[in-house]
Amino acid sequence: MAVDTVVVGAGTAGAVVAGRLAASSSERTLLLEAGPDYGPADGGRWPHDLLDAASSALWSHDWGYTGEFGGEVIHFNRARVVGGCSSHNAGAVVFGSRLDYDGWAAAGNASWSARELLPLFASAWKQLRVRRVGLDELTPFQRVCRDAIVTNGIPAVEDFNNLDQNAGIAPFPVNIDGVTRFNCAFGYVDPVRDRLMVAGDAPVERVLVRGGRAVGVVVRDGQRLAEIGASRVVVSAGAYGSPAILLRSGIGPADELIAAGCRPALDLPGVGRNLHDQPCLEADYEGSDDLIEAMERHQAETGWRPDEQVIAKFPSTGCRQGFDLHIYPVGGRWKDASRWRWTLGVACLTPLSRGSVRLTGPGLDDRLVIDHRYLSDAGGYDRARLAEGVERVREVAQVPELRRLLGRETRPGPEISGRQAIERFLDHAAVHYYHPVGTCKMGPASDPDSVVDADGRVHGIEGLYVADASLMPTVISGNTNMPTAVIGERIARSLSPVRNAGEPRHPAPQPRA
């Protein structure tokens, strides 16, 4: 079998790339997904937990990626299903800061500035049926948290995605249609299923590289491996999966490839490097009967009780430009529904710590070594900013109306008091924000750490591209859901012979250019 383009991974960006290519070209495009393809949204085959936007379905279609932090196993939940993480996340549509994208462009990545990307944000906004959330939709917990954060001094704003606004709290827009999580498979794959070949349960072991060119992929088909020829290969398997595929294909640091049992095809040191995510600390509270009663009454009246709805952004005292902290309340029942969870989380959005993804062997079943090296930057920036965020969360929790409903802090707990104690606590208690990026860094060939150029082309290999969050040189100041879809839009545009079909003539609501 041979096709014009094979897209490896039907996650957020992969679904966008494949859908856009199928819509704009008569070429044969094949979309391969390691997990299941449940068909179109209206086909009746999608599991309820992937459709129910009230909570995040992190475990039912999980890749099983793990790492370690502070001596504990940490789970890096990533969705193994068509639609990828857009099929199980909270649907938060957060753009970040203008400085994020302008920084990418200034590093030598043409056409990645905020001004140039805004039309693609508008396009993805329309395609994913994004809508704004009103204050009247907030659960009692989210509303009281929002009000307490405003009382603490972070202003209420109408548009959380104003790229030039460095402090504010608001309900975040969502790609949720009614109460259904409207994932990238629904938005980009379903409209072109008559023109796009989609294969689920088809994990890719490696890219076939011959004579310095990608000529296809090797796919697991039951117990055997099968080759699929292609004129062009686009790898969209995420910040963990994409570098793993390149490494198994012999593209990466040559000495590590040899040690893992792979035959080097190209010594490209940046593959698997530059891994980073935003470290978080989640402060937990015991809650109160009044809060539970209010939440149950809200659900009875509306039929809707999402766990997350508002986010606050603001700069730390050491922030030199933009903003670097989020506060995000999470409140609802645990997955077993036997008890309630009341959390105020804080995330350091601009981490300096960097880690890696490495192989332990050449095969698809060989474990990946995923090491984010959280809080490891030499200057202690990440730890200090996160500790300051914890102090701010505690201030918010002491606002009288919220304090009455939250009750006692159970974690870290009142015994963890003072900046030094908080920083020590973080060393074994920090968690992650589910926003891994950077392992196939985008940059000019003159950058020895870069893996792909501004159009996603892998340096030194013809016909091979990467399109997902792994190409972000630095993580954006926010959630990666929508920016990853925009990466798909941007790479698809560079690959398409004509402008993408369906681009809105009148853009959807967006920040000011």
Side-chain angles (χ1 to χ4, degrees), residues 45-233:
R45 296 176 52 210
W46 278 80
H48 174 74
D49 65 332
L50 296 181
L51 298 176
D52 179 17
S55 61
S56 299
L58 294 179
W59 298 98
S60 67
H61 291 72
D62 186 40
W63 270 93
Y65 296 131
T66 62
E68 291 186 6
F69 178 75
E72 301 291 332
V73 174
I74 186 168
H75 295 272
F76 302 120
N77 301 95
R78 314 308 292 169
R80 184 169 173 150
V81 64
V82 168
C85 291
S86 71
S87 298
H88 79 184
N89 62 24
V93 174
V94 177
F95 291 3
S97 168
R98 181 180 302 277
L99 298 170
D100 301 327
Y101 308 102
D102 289 354
W104 296 356
N109 298 297
S111 301
W112 285 92
S113 71
R115 179 184 59 80
E116 292 165 298
L117 291 180
L118 280 175
L120 302 185
F121 274 99
S123 182
W125 182 292
K126 178 181 179 181
Q127 206 72 17
L128 292 174
R129 301 185 186 178
V130 177
R131 67 176 184 86
R132 299 193 186 280
V133 175
L135 294 179
D136 60 333
E137 298 181 61
L138 298 183
T139 69
F141 175 68
Q142 294 290 323
R143 183 58 188 255
V144 72
C145 287
R146 179 259 186 196
D147 293 347
I149 289 169
V150 172
T151 299
N152 181 254
I154 298 174
V157 297
E158 291 187 7
D159 181 9
F160 192 74
N161 286 324
N162 182 330
L163 291 177
D164 300 304
Q165 205 164 48
N166 295 326
I169 181 167
F172 51 79
V174 293
N175 51 292
I176 295 173
D177 188 7
V179 297
T180 299
R181 184 181 292 108
F182 196 79
N183 65 48
C184 281
F186 300 163
Y188 288 90
V189 175
D190 283 3
V192 293
R193 280 189 179 268
D194 59 334
R195 285 167 281 171
L196 175 66
M197 294 177 284
V198 183
D201 300 311
V204 169
E205 181 173 271
R206 64 185 186 275
V207 177
L208 291 167
V209 179
R210 295 176 183 143
R213 182 175 184 85
V215 297
V217 296
V218 176
V219 182
R220 173 78 57 82
D221 181 12
Q223 297 301 311
R224 68 186 185 92
L225 296 176
E227 293 187 3
I228 297 176
S231 301
R232 180 169 61 189
V233 176

